[in-house]
Amino acid sequence: MTDLLNNYIGGAWAPATDAAGVLDVVAPATGTTLARVPLSGRADLDAAVAAARAALPAWRDVNVIERARRLFALREGLLARAEDMAQSVTAEMGKTIGDARAEVARAIEMVEAATAIPTTMQGRILEDVSRGIDAETIRQPVGVCAAIAPFNFPAMVPFWFLPFAIACGNTFILKPSEQVPMTQQIAFEVLDALDLPPGVVNLVNGGREVVEGILEHPGIDAVSFVGSAPVAKLVYEGAARAGKRVQALGGAKNHMVVMPDAVIGKTVAGLIGSAFGAAGQRCMAGSVVVTVGDAHEALMGPLTEATRALSVGDGAQATTDVGPVISCAARDRIRGWIDAAVDAGASVVVDGRAVEGVDEAGAFVGPTILDGVTPEMAIAREEVFGPVLTVVRAASLNEAIAIVNGSRFGNGTSIFTESGAAVRRYRHDVEAGMVGVNIGVAAPVAFFPFSGWKDSFLGDLHAHGPDAVEFFTRKKTVTSRWFSDGQGSGAYFVER
């Protein structure tokens, strides 16, 4: 019998008491069942909220230096289990082991960034805003914070939020994706070993019922979400309606502009890593190449050759370049997108709809390149979330910028060129929150915010970086003066 996963509530592992059912956690490379995850109900969420609220006063009173020290210990614990977590990511999500190791490393970098909290949480003070009156702003925790995580980064995305939230003195509830719940079981084993006060961190497995409960629960003060754009909109509206602070990171359609002066060899490597890394299942994946002028003729031959050379297979194998997508349902949906694009007039340069030499029970789609795509086609506008790269032509940089800005999404974009003038123009005019220059995946490091725009983000404060401290704290301004002038009872005499 495959193991049934537990929740982690109030400092202890516990089975779901209110589960509506159980789901199999399926390995996308083989179709085998890895574990079973309970679809916890409202009673389980209620228990987690109660534990988090009970822990909040004492955890808030732990001094900020000690909270930072707990994060240093968390870093060391995660480093010790890093390979276990990476193997888990590959098994349950499917990405290659190299990609999974990089993901775990990024999760640990988030913890490292959060250890700076004694500095980053500091307030401000100004003396003599009026005669003898001082004003200061201090930061205090928001309260109980919850995060709803996606399937594509089982290790990293929860750590966009967890370390910053608890560093700021909040308590925390995580709902991992029910498709990939195993990696956070390992992370919470590390957290459990830290001997945090019971209830500071909690994990509730589940699906839609837990998500809706998080949005509605009066005991939860702030909600973080990462997922598709339609669900991000629902989460934002639901949490905001309930009076919660909310950040909702949605989908994307990221463009990569290739100028005629681009260094082709290095550009091809950047495009392939962006489009086909994690089998295209990243909100920062580049899925549209916009070739400007003569760049198309110079690019397509090397890009096609390099794409055809990629090895598709089980991500656990060191020779694999592209692993499976998350599920067979996702595989079939992606194939349908390719079929529809061909029907709309796109030409298939590299066809990944049929993959040889892989487990037939696996969810495999090979790297695919579609040329002759126009900006009006659905394949160029909608998020496919798979290893499909579309190629759109533009006559000029102005036209390329117009194509990029015509998207309803605004997560990330890249430009490949050696022209500083082109870069200056592009970064100034393009409507996207993250811009790469000769970098295929322009995802920022932990101490900068993940700053999507337009339909890619709903809220005011983004994930990690300085925005994380802003999101997980409330500012309180104190204006004060003292009437005794130092001569009151028990005060030192002060001459003026």
Side-chain angles (χ1 to χ4, degrees):
M1 178 67 69
T2 307
D3 290 342
L4 178 63
L5 302 182
N6 286 322
N7 296 328
Y8 184 83
I9 297 174
W13 294 100
T17 61
D18 188 29
V22 173
L23 289 180
D24 288 342
V25 182
V26 177
T30 62
T32 58
T33 298
L34 301 170
R36 296 182 302 148
V37 60
L39 297 177
S40 302
R42 295 294 179 99
D44 298 299
L45 178 63
D46 288 345
V49 175
R53 293 225 73 89
L56 184 61
W59 180 243
R60 172 185 170 176
D61 286 345
V62 172
N63 72 73
V64 69
I65 296 173
E66 177 58 27
R67 295 202 299 265
R69 287 174 178 154
R70 299 294 182 93
L71 292 177
F72 280 113
L74 174 58
R75 175 189 182 272
E76 296 305 305
L78 291 173
L79 280 172
R81 299 294 303 275
E83 184 61 20
D84 294 339
M85 292 180 67
Q87 295 286 346
S88 175
V89 169
T90 294
E92 67 177 349
M93 189 268 165
K95 66 178 59 173
T96 64
I97 188 62
D99 199 355
R101 287 170 180 150
E103 178 188 340
V104 173
R106 290 299 293 269
I108 294 171
E109 287 174 7
M110 295 295 159
V111 179
E112 292 170 344
T115 62
I117 202 66
T119 298
T120 55
M121 196 175 167
Q122 290 178 12
R124 302 173 61 191
I125 187 166
L126 181 63
E127 285 189 319
D128 290 322
V129 294
S130 186
R131 180 171 175 79
I133 298 178
D134 303 332
E136 60 183 314
T137 298
I138 58 177
R139 294 184 180 276
Q140 296 182 335
V142 173
V144 175
C145 303
I148 303 162
F151 76 82
N152 57 332
F153 284 92
M156 183 184 72
V157 167
F159 279 80
W160 280 2
F161 311 112
L162 186 154
F164 297 100
I166 65 174
C168 291
N170 302 282
T171 53
F172 190 80
I173 301 168
L174 172 67
K175 193 213 84 70
S177 168
E178 61 272 29
Q179 293 180 285
V180 291
M182 296 167 56
T183 302
Q184 283 305 309
Q185 295 273 312
I186 300 172
F188 270 71
E189 288 173 5
V190 175
L191 286 159
D192 184 53
L194 296 183
D195 196 29
L196 294 168
V200 171
V201 292
N202 305 271
L203 182 150
V204 181
N205 291 296
R208 180 171 181 171
E209 185 174 357
V210 175
V211 171
E212 292 176 347
I214 287 172
L215 303 185
E216 298 167 1
H217 203 296
I220 294 175
D221 302 294
V223 177
S224 303
F225 171 84
V226 180
S228 69
V231 180
K233 187 173 186 292
L234 293 173
V235 167
Y236 179 78
E237 291 174 347
R241 189 183 306 117
K244 304 179 191 303
R245 181 172 293 192
V246 57
Q247 50 185 183
L249 288 73
K253 194 69 178 179
N254 303 315
H255 295 70
M256 300 180 289
V257 173
V258 180
M259 299 295 289
D261 67 338
V263 177
I264 292 299
K266 294 186 181 299
T267 296
V268 166
L271 299 182
I272 284 179
S274 182
F276 306 132
Q281 298 169 113
R282 294 189 293 215
C283 63
M284 286 298 288
S287 55
V288 181
V289 173
V290 182
T291 58
V292 177
D294 296 339
H296 189 274
E297 286 68 27
L299 177 69
M300 290 306 295
L303 178 61
T304 300
E305 181 181 359
T307 300
R308 286 177 175 157
L310 295 174
S311 171
V312 181
D314 189 334
Q317 303 299 317
T319 56
T320 296
D321 298 308
V322 181
V325 294
I326 187 62
S327 66
C328 290
R331 175 200 65 195
D332 296 342
R333 176 182 54 78
I334 295 163
R335 289 173 177 172
W337 273 109
I338 300 169
D339 292 342
V342 172
D343 291 343
S347 59
V348 181
V349 178
V350 181
D351 194 341
R353 285 173 288 186
V355 182
E356 297 180 355
V358 296
D359 192 323
E360 292 185 359
F364 292 98
V365 180
T368 298
I369 298 177
L370 300 171
D371 199 3
V373 175
T374 65
E376 295 76 24
M377 291 183 183
I379 194 71
R381 292 185 289 105
E382 301 300 328
E383 186 175 39
V384 175
F385 224 60
V388 180
L389 182 62
T390 61
V391 183
V392 176
R393 300 191 191 203
S396 65
L397 178 59
N398 285 348
E399 184 181 350
I401 292 172
I403 290 170
V404 176
N405 290 350
S407 174
R408 64 189 177 93
F409 298 107
N411 220 33
T413 186
S414 298
I415 183 170
F416 291 84
T417 181
E418 295 299 294
S419 168
V423 171
R424 176 66 175 79
R425 173 70 184 281
Y426 192 76
R427 66 185 288 179
H428 182 272
D429 289 355
V430 75
E431 296 172 1
M434 291 165 280
V435 179
V437 177
N438 296 317
I439 294 175
V441 181
V445 292
F447 35 88
F448 283 84
F450 194 92
S451 47
W453 286 14
K454 299 164 78 170
D455 280 5
S456 295
F457 178 75
L458 294 157
D460 298 310
L461 297 168
H462 294 86
H464 59 80
D467 278 25
V469 178
E470 291 283 347
F471 184 80
F472 289 115
T473 59
R474 295 183 294 181
K475 292 190 284 290
K476 181 182 289 184
T477 299
V478 180
T479 306
S480 59
R481 68 179 174 185
W482 305 98
F483 293 117
S484 66
D485 199 22
Q487 300 181 64
S489 175
Y492 292 102
F493 178 76
V494 179
E495 291 186 356
R496 294 184 71 98

Short mmCIF file of all heavy atoms in Angstrom, two decimals, residues 37-92:
data_model
loop_
_atom_site.label_atom_id
_atom_site.label_comp_id
_atom_site.label_asym_id
_atom_site.label_seq_id
_atom_site.Cartn_x
_atom_site.Cartn_y
_atom_site.Cartn_z
N VAL A 37 -2.33 11.41 -1.50
CA VAL A 37 -2.46 12.68 -0.78
C VAL A 37 -3.93 12.88 -0.40
O VAL A 37 -4.83 12.70 -1.23
CB VAL A 37 -1.94 13.86 -1.62
CG1 VAL A 37 -2.70 14.01 -2.93
CG2 VAL A 37 -1.99 15.16 -0.84
N PRO A 38 -4.21 13.25 0.86
CA PRO A 38 -5.59 13.47 1.26
C PRO A 38 -6.11 14.82 0.77
O PRO A 38 -5.37 15.81 0.72
CB PRO A 38 -5.51 13.45 2.79
CG PRO A 38 -4.14 13.96 3.09
CD PRO A 38 -3.28 13.43 1.99
N LEU A 39 -7.37 14.85 0.41
CA LEU A 39 -8.04 16.11 0.08
C LEU A 39 -8.68 16.63 1.37
O LEU A 39 -9.86 16.42 1.64
CB LEU A 39 -9.08 15.89 -1.02
CG LEU A 39 -8.51 15.43 -2.36
CD1 LEU A 39 -9.63 15.18 -3.36
CD2 LEU A 39 -7.52 16.45 -2.91
N SER A 40 -7.85 17.28 2.16
CA SER A 40 -8.29 17.73 3.48
C SER A 40 -9.49 18.66 3.36
O SER A 40 -9.70 19.31 2.34
CB SER A 40 -7.16 18.46 4.20
OG SER A 40 -6.02 17.61 4.34
N GLY A 41 -10.26 18.74 4.44
CA GLY A 41 -11.45 19.57 4.46
C GLY A 41 -11.30 20.78 5.36
O GLY A 41 -10.21 21.09 5.87
N ARG A 42 -12.41 21.46 5.59
CA ARG A 42 -12.38 22.70 6.37
C ARG A 42 -11.95 22.46 7.81
O ARG A 42 -11.31 23.31 8.42
CB ARG A 42 -13.77 23.35 6.34
CG ARG A 42 -14.22 23.83 4.96
CD ARG A 42 -13.38 24.96 4.44
NE ARG A 42 -13.82 25.40 3.11
CZ ARG A 42 -14.60 26.44 2.88
NH1 ARG A 42 -15.06 27.17 3.89
NH2 ARG A 42 -14.94 26.76 1.65
N ALA A 43 -12.30 21.30 8.38
CA ALA A 43 -11.91 21.05 9.77
C ALA A 43 -10.40 20.99 9.91
O ALA A 43 -9.84 21.47 10.91
CB ALA A 43 -12.53 19.75 10.26
N ASP A 44 -9.71 20.43 8.92
CA ASP A 44 -8.25 20.39 8.96
C ASP A 44 -7.67 21.79 8.83
O ASP A 44 -6.72 22.14 9.53
CB ASP A 44 -7.73 19.49 7.84
CG ASP A 44 -8.20 18.05 7.99
OD1 ASP A 44 -7.87 17.43 9.02
OD2 ASP A 44 -8.89 17.56 7.09
N LEU A 45 -8.25 22.58 7.93
CA LEU A 45 -7.78 23.97 7.80
C LEU A 45 -8.06 24.75 9.07
O LEU A 45 -7.22 25.53 9.54
CB LEU A 45 -8.46 24.64 6.61
CG LEU A 45 -8.09 26.12 6.38
CD1 LEU A 45 -6.60 26.26 6.09
CD2 LEU A 45 -8.92 26.72 5.25
N ASP A 46 -9.25 24.56 9.65
CA ASP A 46 -9.57 25.24 10.90
C ASP A 46 -8.54 24.93 11.99
O ASP A 46 -8.13 25.80 12.76
CB ASP A 46 -10.95 24.83 11.39
CG ASP A 46 -12.08 25.41 10.55
OD1 ASP A 46 -11.82 26.35 9.77
OD2 ASP A 46 -13.22 24.92 10.67
N ALA A 47 -8.11 23.67 12.06
CA ALA A 47 -7.12 23.28 13.06
C ALA A 47 -5.79 23.99 12.81
O ALA A 47 -5.12 24.43 13.76
CB ALA A 47 -6.93 21.77 13.04
N ALA A 48 -5.41 24.11 11.54
CA ALA A 48 -4.16 24.80 11.22
C ALA A 48 -4.24 26.28 11.55
O ALA A 48 -3.29 26.87 12.09
CB ALA A 48 -3.83 24.61 9.74
N VAL A 49 -5.37 26.90 11.24
CA VAL A 49 -5.54 28.32 11.57
C VAL A 49 -5.52 28.53 13.08
O VAL A 49 -4.88 29.47 13.59
CB VAL A 49 -6.83 28.87 10.95
CG1 VAL A 49 -7.06 30.32 11.39
CG2 VAL A 49 -6.78 28.79 9.42
N ALA A 50 -6.19 27.67 13.80
CA ALA A 50 -6.21 27.79 15.26
C ALA A 50 -4.80 27.67 15.83
O ALA A 50 -4.41 28.43 16.74
CB ALA A 50 -7.12 26.73 15.87
N ALA A 51 -4.02 26.73 15.30
CA ALA A 51 -2.64 26.57 15.76
C ALA A 51 -1.80 27.78 15.42
O ALA A 51 -0.99 28.25 16.24
CB ALA A 51 -2.03 25.31 15.14
N ALA A 52 -1.99 28.31 14.22
CA ALA A 52 -1.21 29.48 13.80
C ALA A 52 -1.57 30.71 14.63
O ALA A 52 -0.69 31.49 15.03
CB ALA A 52 -1.45 29.75 12.32
N ARG A 53 -2.86 30.88 14.92
CA ARG A 53 -3.26 32.05 15.72
C ARG A 53 -2.76 31.91 17.16
O ARG A 53 -2.34 32.90 17.77
CB ARG A 53 -4.78 32.21 15.69
CG ARG A 53 -5.33 32.56 14.33
CD ARG A 53 -6.37 33.68 14.41
NE ARG A 53 -5.75 34.96 14.69
CZ ARG A 53 -5.29 35.80 13.75
NH1 ARG A 53 -5.34 35.48 12.48
NH2 ARG A 53 -4.77 36.96 14.09
N ALA A 54 -2.79 30.70 17.68
CA ALA A 54 -2.31 30.51 19.05
C ALA A 54 -0.82 30.77 19.16
O ALA A 54 -0.33 31.26 20.19
CB ALA A 54 -2.64 29.10 19.52
N ALA A 55 -0.08 30.45 18.11
CA ALA A 55 1.38 30.63 18.14
C ALA A 55 1.81 32.06 17.87
O ALA A 55 2.95 32.43 18.18
CB ALA A 55 2.02 29.71 17.10
N LEU A 56 0.92 32.87 17.30
CA LEU A 56 1.32 34.19 16.83
C LEU A 56 1.88 35.11 17.91
O LEU A 56 2.94 35.71 17.72
CB LEU A 56 0.13 34.85 16.11
CG LEU A 56 0.38 36.21 15.46
CD1 LEU A 56 1.45 36.10 14.38
CD2 LEU A 56 -0.92 36.73 14.85
N PRO A 57 1.22 35.29 19.06
CA PRO A 57 1.76 36.24 20.04
C PRO A 57 3.17 35.90 20.52
O PRO A 57 4.04 36.78 20.60
CB PRO A 57 0.74 36.17 21.19
CG PRO A 57 -0.52 35.67 20.57
CD PRO A 57 -0.07 34.71 19.50
N ALA A 58 3.42 34.63 20.81
CA ALA A 58 4.74 34.25 21.31
C ALA A 58 5.79 34.36 20.22
O ALA A 58 6.92 34.80 20.47
CB ALA A 58 4.69 32.83 21.86
N TRP A 59 5.44 33.96 18.99
CA TRP A 59 6.42 34.04 17.91
C TRP A 59 6.74 35.48 17.56
O TRP A 59 7.90 35.83 17.31
CB TRP A 59 5.91 33.30 16.68
CG TRP A 59 6.89 33.33 15.51
CD1 TRP A 59 6.68 33.89 14.31
CD2 TRP A 59 8.20 32.75 15.48
NE1 TRP A 59 7.78 33.71 13.50
CE2 TRP A 59 8.72 33.02 14.21
CE3 TRP A 59 8.97 32.06 16.41
CZ2 TRP A 59 10.01 32.60 13.82
CZ3 TRP A 59 10.26 31.64 16.03
CH2 TRP A 59 10.76 31.91 14.77
N ARG A 60 5.74 36.34 17.58
CA ARG A 60 5.99 37.75 17.33
C ARG A 60 6.94 38.33 18.38
O ARG A 60 7.77 39.19 18.07
CB ARG A 60 4.67 38.52 17.37
CG ARG A 60 4.85 40.02 17.31
CD ARG A 60 3.55 40.76 17.47
NE ARG A 60 3.79 42.19 17.64
CZ ARG A 60 2.85 43.10 17.74
NH1 ARG A 60 1.58 42.74 17.69
NH2 ARG A 60 3.16 44.38 17.90
N ASP A 61 6.88 37.84 19.59
CA ASP A 61 7.73 38.36 20.66
C ASP A 61 9.14 37.76 20.67
O ASP A 61 9.99 38.22 21.43
CB ASP A 61 7.08 38.12 22.03
CG ASP A 61 5.91 39.06 22.28
OD1 ASP A 61 5.79 40.06 21.53
OD2 ASP A 61 5.10 38.79 23.19
N VAL A 62 9.39 36.74 19.85
CA VAL A 62 10.77 36.26 19.69
C VAL A 62 11.56 37.35 18.98
O VAL A 62 11.14 37.85 17.94
CB VAL A 62 10.80 34.95 18.88
CG1 VAL A 62 12.23 34.56 18.54
CG2 VAL A 62 10.11 33.84 19.65
N ASN A 63 12.68 37.74 19.55
CA ASN A 63 13.37 38.89 18.96
C ASN A 63 13.87 38.58 17.56
O ASN A 63 14.12 37.42 17.20
CB ASN A 63 14.52 39.37 19.86
CG ASN A 63 15.70 38.43 19.87
OD1 ASN A 63 16.45 38.35 18.91
ND2 ASN A 63 15.88 37.72 21.00
N VAL A 64 14.00 39.60 16.76
CA VAL A 64 14.25 39.44 15.34
C VAL A 64 15.59 38.76 15.07
O VAL A 64 15.73 38.03 14.08
CB VAL A 64 14.15 40.81 14.64
CG1 VAL A 64 15.30 41.73 15.04
CG2 VAL A 64 14.10 40.65 13.12
N ILE A 65 16.56 38.95 15.93
CA ILE A 65 17.84 38.29 15.74
C ILE A 65 17.69 36.78 15.92
O ILE A 65 18.24 35.98 15.15
CB ILE A 65 18.90 38.86 16.71
CG1 ILE A 65 19.14 40.34 16.40
CG2 ILE A 65 20.20 38.07 16.63
CD1 ILE A 65 20.02 41.04 17.40
N GLU A 66 16.92 36.37 16.91
CA GLU A 66 16.69 34.94 17.12
C GLU A 66 15.90 34.34 15.97
O GLU A 66 16.16 33.21 15.54
CB GLU A 66 15.96 34.72 18.44
CG GLU A 66 15.62 33.27 18.73
CD GLU A 66 16.83 32.35 18.77
OE1 GLU A 66 17.95 32.82 19.08
OE2 GLU A 66 16.66 31.15 18.46
N ARG A 67 14.94 35.09 15.44
CA ARG A 67 14.20 34.58 14.28
C ARG A 67 15.16 34.37 13.10
O ARG A 67 15.07 33.37 12.37
CB ARG A 67 13.07 35.52 13.89
CG ARG A 67 11.98 35.63 14.95
CD ARG A 67 10.67 36.10 14.37
NE ARG A 67 10.72 37.41 13.74
CZ ARG A 67 10.39 38.56 14.34
NH1 ARG A 67 10.01 38.56 15.62
NH2 ARG A 67 10.44 39.70 13.69
N ALA A 68 16.08 35.30 12.90
CA ALA A 68 17.07 35.14 11.83
C ALA A 68 17.94 33.92 12.07
O ALA A 68 18.28 33.18 11.14
CB ALA A 68 17.93 36.40 11.72
N ARG A 69 18.31 33.68 13.35
CA ARG A 69 19.13 32.51 13.64
C ARG A 69 18.39 31.21 13.32
O ARG A 69 19.00 30.23 12.88
CB ARG A 69 19.55 32.54 15.12
CG ARG A 69 20.62 33.59 15.41
CD ARG A 69 20.90 33.69 16.90
NE ARG A 69 21.96 34.66 17.17
CZ ARG A 69 22.11 35.32 18.31
NH1 ARG A 69 21.25 35.09 19.32
NH2 ARG A 69 23.10 36.17 18.47
N ARG A 70 17.10 31.19 13.54
CA ARG A 70 16.33 30.00 13.17
C ARG A 70 16.39 29.77 11.65
O ARG A 70 16.42 28.62 11.19
CB ARG A 70 14.87 30.14 13.61
CG ARG A 70 14.65 30.32 15.09
CD ARG A 70 15.03 29.10 15.90
NE ARG A 70 14.77 29.30 17.31
CZ ARG A 70 13.65 28.94 17.93
NH1 ARG A 70 12.69 28.33 17.26
NH2 ARG A 70 13.49 29.17 19.22
N LEU A 71 16.42 30.85 10.90
CA LEU A 71 16.52 30.72 9.45
C LEU A 71 17.89 30.21 9.02
O LEU A 71 18.01 29.46 8.04
CB LEU A 71 16.21 32.05 8.77
CG LEU A 71 14.75 32.52 8.89
CD1 LEU A 71 14.59 33.88 8.24
CD2 LEU A 71 13.80 31.52 8.25
N PHE A 72 18.95 30.62 9.73
CA PHE A 72 20.26 30.06 9.45
C PHE A 72 20.23 28.54 9.66
O PHE A 72 20.79 27.77 8.87
CB PHE A 72 21.32 30.69 10.34
CG PHE A 72 21.80 32.04 9.87
CD1 PHE A 72 21.54 33.18 10.60
CD2 PHE A 72 22.51 32.16 8.68
CE1 PHE A 72 21.96 34.42 10.17
CE2 PHE A 72 22.95 33.41 8.23
CZ PHE A 72 22.68 34.54 8.98
N ALA A 73 19.58 28.11 10.73
CA ALA A 73 19.46 26.67 10.99
C ALA A 73 18.62 25.99 9.92
O ALA A 73 18.91 24.86 9.50
CB ALA A 73 18.85 26.44 12.37
N LEU A 74 17.58 26.67 9.44
CA LEU A 74 16.75 26.13 8.35
C LEU A 74 17.60 25.95 7.10
O LEU A 74 17.50 24.92 6.41
CB LEU A 74 15.57 27.06 8.09
CG LEU A 74 14.69 26.73 6.89
CD1 LEU A 74 14.10 25.32 7.01
CD2 LEU A 74 13.58 27.77 6.73
N ARG A 75 18.42 26.93 6.80
CA ARG A 75 19.32 26.81 5.63
C ARG A 75 20.19 25.57 5.74
O ARG A 75 20.32 24.81 4.76
CB ARG A 75 20.19 28.06 5.53
CG ARG A 75 21.25 27.98 4.43
CD ARG A 75 22.22 29.14 4.50
NE ARG A 75 23.19 29.08 3.42
CZ ARG A 75 24.34 28.41 3.48
NH1 ARG A 75 24.65 27.72 4.58
NH2 ARG A 75 25.18 28.41 2.45
N GLU A 76 20.80 25.37 6.88
CA GLU A 76 21.68 24.21 7.04
C GLU A 76 20.90 22.90 6.91
O GLU A 76 21.38 21.94 6.30
CB GLU A 76 22.39 24.28 8.40
CG GLU A 76 23.32 25.47 8.55
CD GLU A 76 24.35 25.53 7.44
OE1 GLU A 76 25.07 24.53 7.24
OE2 GLU A 76 24.44 26.58 6.76
N GLY A 77 19.69 22.87 7.47
CA GLY A 77 18.88 21.66 7.36
C GLY A 77 18.47 21.37 5.93
O GLY A 77 18.47 20.21 5.49
N LEU A 78 18.13 22.42 5.17
CA LEU A 78 17.76 22.22 3.77
C LEU A 78 18.96 21.79 2.93
O LEU A 78 18.83 20.96 2.02
CB LEU A 78 17.16 23.51 3.20
CG LEU A 78 15.79 23.91 3.75
CD1 LEU A 78 15.39 25.29 3.23
CD2 LEU A 78 14.72 22.89 3.43
N LEU A 79 20.13 22.34 3.22
CA LEU A 79 21.33 21.91 2.51
C LEU A 79 21.57 20.41 2.72
O LEU A 79 21.95 19.69 1.80
CB LEU A 79 22.54 22.72 2.98
CG LEU A 79 22.71 24.12 2.38
CD1 LEU A 79 23.85 24.86 3.09
CD2 LEU A 79 23.00 24.04 0.88
N ALA A 80 21.37 19.96 3.95
CA ALA A 80 21.59 18.55 4.26
C ALA A 80 20.61 17.64 3.53
O ALA A 80 20.92 16.48 3.24
CB ALA A 80 21.50 18.32 5.77
N ARG A 81 19.43 18.14 3.22
CA ARG A 81 18.40 17.33 2.54
C ARG A 81 18.22 17.76 1.09
O ARG A 81 17.24 17.36 0.45
CB ARG A 81 17.06 17.47 3.27
CG ARG A 81 17.04 17.00 4.71
CD ARG A 81 17.25 15.50 4.85
NE ARG A 81 16.28 14.70 4.12
CZ ARG A 81 15.08 14.35 4.59
NH1 ARG A 81 14.70 14.76 5.80
NH2 ARG A 81 14.28 13.58 3.89
N ALA A 82 19.13 18.56 0.55
CA ALA A 82 18.95 19.13 -0.78
C ALA A 82 18.82 18.06 -1.85
O ALA A 82 17.96 18.14 -2.74
CB ALA A 82 20.10 20.08 -1.12
N GLU A 83 19.64 17.02 -1.79
CA GLU A 83 19.56 15.99 -2.82
C GLU A 83 18.26 15.20 -2.69
O GLU A 83 17.64 14.83 -3.72
CB GLU A 83 20.76 15.06 -2.73
CG GLU A 83 20.81 14.00 -3.83
CD GLU A 83 20.91 14.58 -5.24
OE1 GLU A 83 21.31 15.75 -5.41
OE2 GLU A 83 20.58 13.84 -6.20
N ASP A 84 17.82 14.94 -1.46
CA ASP A 84 16.53 14.26 -1.27
C ASP A 84 15.40 15.08 -1.89
O ASP A 84 14.51 14.53 -2.56
CB ASP A 84 16.25 14.07 0.22
CG ASP A 84 17.22 13.12 0.89
OD1 ASP A 84 17.84 12.31 0.18
OD2 ASP A 84 17.34 13.18 2.12
N MET A 85 15.44 16.39 -1.68
CA MET A 85 14.40 17.25 -2.24
C MET A 85 14.46 17.26 -3.75
O MET A 85 13.43 17.22 -4.43
CB MET A 85 14.50 18.66 -1.66
CG MET A 85 14.17 18.74 -0.18
SD MET A 85 14.30 20.41 0.50
CE MET A 85 12.96 21.25 -0.35
N ALA A 86 15.66 17.33 -4.31
CA ALA A 86 15.80 17.36 -5.77
C ALA A 86 15.28 16.06 -6.39
O ALA A 86 14.57 16.08 -7.41
CB ALA A 86 17.25 17.59 -6.15
N GLN A 87 15.63 14.94 -5.78
CA GLN A 87 15.13 13.66 -6.29
C GLN A 87 13.60 13.60 -6.22
O GLN A 87 12.94 13.06 -7.12
CB GLN A 87 15.73 12.51 -5.48
CG GLN A 87 17.24 12.35 -5.61
CD GLN A 87 17.67 11.76 -6.93
OE1 GLN A 87 16.86 11.22 -7.68
NE2 GLN A 87 18.95 11.86 -7.24
N SER A 88 13.04 14.17 -5.17
CA SER A 88 11.58 14.20 -5.02
C SER A 88 10.94 15.07 -6.10
O SER A 88 9.92 14.70 -6.69
CB SER A 88 11.21 14.73 -3.63
OG SER A 88 9.81 14.87 -3.50
N VAL A 89 11.55 16.24 -6.38
CA VAL A 89 11.03 17.12 -7.43
C VAL A 89 11.00 16.39 -8.76
O VAL A 89 10.01 16.43 -9.50
CB VAL A 89 11.88 18.41 -7.52
CG1 VAL A 89 11.52 19.19 -8.79
CG2 VAL A 89 11.67 19.28 -6.29
N THR A 90 12.09 15.72 -9.09
CA THR A 90 12.14 15.00 -10.36
C THR A 90 11.11 13.88 -10.41
O THR A 90 10.43 13.68 -11.43
CB THR A 90 13.56 14.42 -10.58
OG1 THR A 90 14.47 15.51 -10.75
CG2 THR A 90 13.61 13.53 -11.81
N ALA A 91 10.96 13.16 -9.32
CA ALA A 91 10.02 12.05 -9.31
C ALA A 91 8.58 12.51 -9.47
O ALA A 91 7.83 11.95 -10.28
CB ALA A 91 10.17 11.26 -8.01
N GLU A 92 8.17 13.53 -8.72
CA GLU A 92 6.75 13.89 -8.71
C GLU A 92 6.38 14.93 -9.75
O GLU A 92 5.23 15.00 -10.16
CB GLU A 92 6.33 14.35 -7.31
CG GLU A 92 6.95 15.65 -6.82
CD GLU A 92 6.41 16.05 -5.45
OE1 GLU A 92 5.44 15.43 -4.98
OE2 GLU A 92 6.97 16.99 -4.84
#
